[in-house]
Amino acid sequence: MASSGFHTHDHVKCVAEALGALESYCQTEGLKFTTLRRRVFELLLEEHKAMGAYDILDRLRTEGFSAQPPVAYRHLDFLVAHGFAHKIERLNAFIACTHIGALHDPAFLICRECRTVSETMSDSSILALHHRASDADFQIEESVVEAIGTCPDCR
Ligand SMILES: [Zn+2]
Ligand SMILES: [Zn+2]
Ligand SMILES: [Zn+2]
């Protein structure tokens, strides 16, 4: 599966696979695959850019959905909770996950100019962090690496 927002990849296939994964997940889990749920995910996938809840709302409204803020948050939280999206704390925004179905500690490369986010799986740095944590007798529940910089297009 395509893993980067910075490199060219077969995006049509990438969107189709991600939507397909969400659809079958909803089926298996007995969850509704509503038009709005699908659309919110599709918007996140569109350009692999971080989008805030209000960006999503604006788009939904221009498309004729009468969505209120809680609705956008509910769908975004759903996607995050089920592993289809991640929250980028630094930007207070969301991106579609590009490693759907894989258990991973994501690391994000965030372009501060265009807000394109590339998701990579951090391994060695996370491992080091876990070692430090166990030295300090600290239990990590979740760790997210967010790196800010500029992407090739914006340099
Ligand atoms: Zn893509
Ligand atoms: Zn991910
Ligand atoms: Zn950029």
Side-chain angles (χ1 to χ4, degrees):
M1 195 178 287
S3 63
S4 173
F6 299 152
H7 300 289
T8 47
H9 61 283
D10 189 347
H11 188 57
V12 174
K13 188 164 160 248
C14 145
V15 171
E17 279 180 357
L19 286 173
L22 180 60
E23 184 172 11
S24 57
Y25 180 83
C26 287
Q27 260 163 19
T28 324
E29 300 292 314
L31 301 161
K32 285 206 187 95
F33 188 56
T34 60
T35 318
L36 206 53
R37 185 166 279 169
R38 180 196 162 93
R39 192 62 194 137
V40 169
F41 190 40
E42 221 168 22
L43 288 173
L44 284 185
L45 284 164
E46 204 169 67
E47 292 181 75
H48 297 289
K49 279 191 180 148
M51 292 178 86
Y54 281 86
D55 301 328
I56 299 273
L57 266 179
D58 283 347
R59 289 289 303 272
L60 292 177
R61 282 176 180 156
T62 46
E63 291 173 12
F65 291 98
S66 58
Q68 298 300 314
V71 174
Y73 279 112
R74 183 149 30 91
H75 286 295
L76 289 165
D77 287 344
F78 170 89
L79 292 171
V80 171
H82 295 276
F84 288 90
H86 297 291
K87 186 163 187 203
I88 308 290
E89 298 291 343
R90 179 101 194 209
L91 301 175
N92 193 22
F94 299 83
I95 59 148
C97 176
T98 47
H99 303 103
I100 293 165
L103 196 63
H104 58 291
D105 284 312
F108 302 109
L109 308 176
I110 304 161
C111 176
R112 84 175 121 72
E113 303 293 333
C114 68
R115 289 163 70 94
T116 296
V117 177
S118 177
E119 178 183 349
T120 61
M121 297 216 223
S122 54
D123 30 40
S124 54
S125 61
I126 291 286
L127 212 59
L129 188 64
H130 280 270
H131 283 309
R132 288 283 171 85
S134 68
D135 287 348
D137 197 22
F138 181 86
Q139 274 195 330
I140 295 181
E141 286 168 358
E142 196 191 347
S143 71
V144 177
V145 177
E146 297 184 355
I148 298 277
T150 42
C151 79
D153 287 344
C154 294
R155 264 199 309 269

